[in-house]
Amino acid sequence: MIAGMMLSLFGLTADAQDKPMTFTYKSHTYTMTGTLNADAYDATAKGTVTFTHIPADYAEFEAVYTQLLGKTPHGAAAMMPMAMELYRRDREVGLQCLKLLCYPTNVNSVTSILNSKYGATRFSPANDPYLQPYLPAAVLKGATPDNGYTPQRPYTVEMKASVNKHQDLQFSGSGRVVYLYVMGKGWDTEQRQVEVIRQPGSQLHQVFNCPSLYTQCKTIRGQWKGLE
């Protein structure tokens, strides 16, 4: 076990998923609750992930994914804003994270848009509303265009079941796709649909498709302070 890392899991059965599951990596803490799962569709299922910080590097991202969040559909979906922010900070590290988290066909779709949304510099230059380095914050609870996309702490991603039921892949590869909504106030339509897949024999979920998470959000008002 990595020094400074503690893991507290209460099981991932459908009956136990609503109990808090917490993973601590050094000084960063991640907590997940929810009842979304790939085994059975429940229109009332929800999920919440809270975290104190964006993962510092790929090693932390991988640990969080494999040890906790990748084990549920909502946990995997909640890691997309983390991966998007890491890609903004460092293209190579972020790409590693996206390749781990996303189904292979989804990686290029995400990076091609993020390259245009982030531009060449770390922070958005003035007077260019198309560049949106604050895009990963748009689905964090409490973040709105009016408050400079400043989320509450700890960072929180809230999700719920989509109206679309689970679907088994019929065209490429195999696996079950779970449709869910990630809630965010960065758009007029606050329900941002994300598709998550779990392939046969795997306990981990991957983000299969998520264009609504990197679609142009509302332009910020004020100064974006960044994420920690």
Side-chain angles (χ1 to χ4, degrees):
M1 182 174 292
I2 298 174
M5 182 173 66
M6 297 182 294
L7 178 63
S8 176
L9 293 176
F10 296 86
L12 291 176
T13 63
D15 293 336
Q17 282 187 46
D18 58 341
K19 296 180 180 179
M21 294 173 281
T22 299
F23 179 84
T24 299
Y25 188 100
K26 297 182 179 179
S27 61
H28 298 175
T29 300
Y30 304 81
T31 300
M32 173 174 65
T33 59
T35 54
L36 286 154
N37 70 87
D39 295 324
Y41 174 77
D42 177 0
T44 66
K46 296 181 179 180
T48 300
V49 171
T50 63
F51 50 105
T52 57
H53 297 80
I54 298 294
D57 49 31
Y58 176 78
E60 181 174 349
F61 188 91
E62 181 184 35
V64 174
Y65 174 69
T66 58
Q67 298 298 318
L68 179 65
L69 296 184
K71 296 182 178 181
T72 68
H74 49 288
M79 293 196 76
M80 270 307 300
M82 302 180 198
M84 290 167 61
E85 171 63 8
L86 284 167
Y87 189 77
R88 183 191 69 82
R89 297 177 183 183
D90 187 306
R91 296 293 194 272
E92 292 185 6
V93 171
L95 181 59
Q96 282 186 290
C97 295
L98 288 167
K99 286 182 175 179
L100 176 68
L101 177 64
C102 294
Y103 195 75
T105 56
N106 191 35
V107 176
N108 287 341
S109 299
V110 176
T111 56
S112 63
I113 298 299
L114 292 186
N115 286 336
S116 65
K117 298 301 295 177
Y118 291 161
T121 60
R122 183 173 180 180
F123 293 99
S124 174
N127 303 319
D128 190 345
Y130 182 76
L131 296 182
Q132 297 188 321
Y134 45 83
L135 192 58
V139 293
L140 300 182
K141 187 174 182 179
T144 69
D146 293 334
N147 68 7
Y149 285 107
T150 302
Q152 69 177 40
R153 300 293 301 269
Y155 301 136
T156 301
V157 182
E158 294 182 325
M159 291 147 286
K160 65 180 183 179
S162 167
V163 296
N164 298 311
K165 296 183 179 181
H166 301 352
Q167 183 176 358
D168 292 327
L169 281 187
Q170 302 292 328
F171 54 92
S172 175
S174 59
R176 172 163 290 184
V177 176
V178 177
Y179 301 87
L180 56 85
Y181 294 131
V182 176
M183 310 308 293
K185 293 187 177 297
W187 303 264
D188 290 331
T189 303
E190 296 180 6
Q191 297 182 161
R192 316 306 295 169
Q193 181 157 287
V194 175
E195 301 169 21
V196 179
I197 187 170
R198 188 185 70 188
Q199 299 186 71
S202 176
Q203 295 184 349
L204 299 176
H205 301 73
Q206 291 182 296
V207 178
F208 187 69
N209 197 27
C210 58
S212 64
L213 293 187
Y214 51 80
T215 298
Q216 181 94 352
C217 64
K218 295 179 181 178
T219 302
I220 195 171
R221 298 179 183 177
Q223 184 68 35
W224 187 57
K225 299 178 181 179
L227 299 173
E228 295 185 14

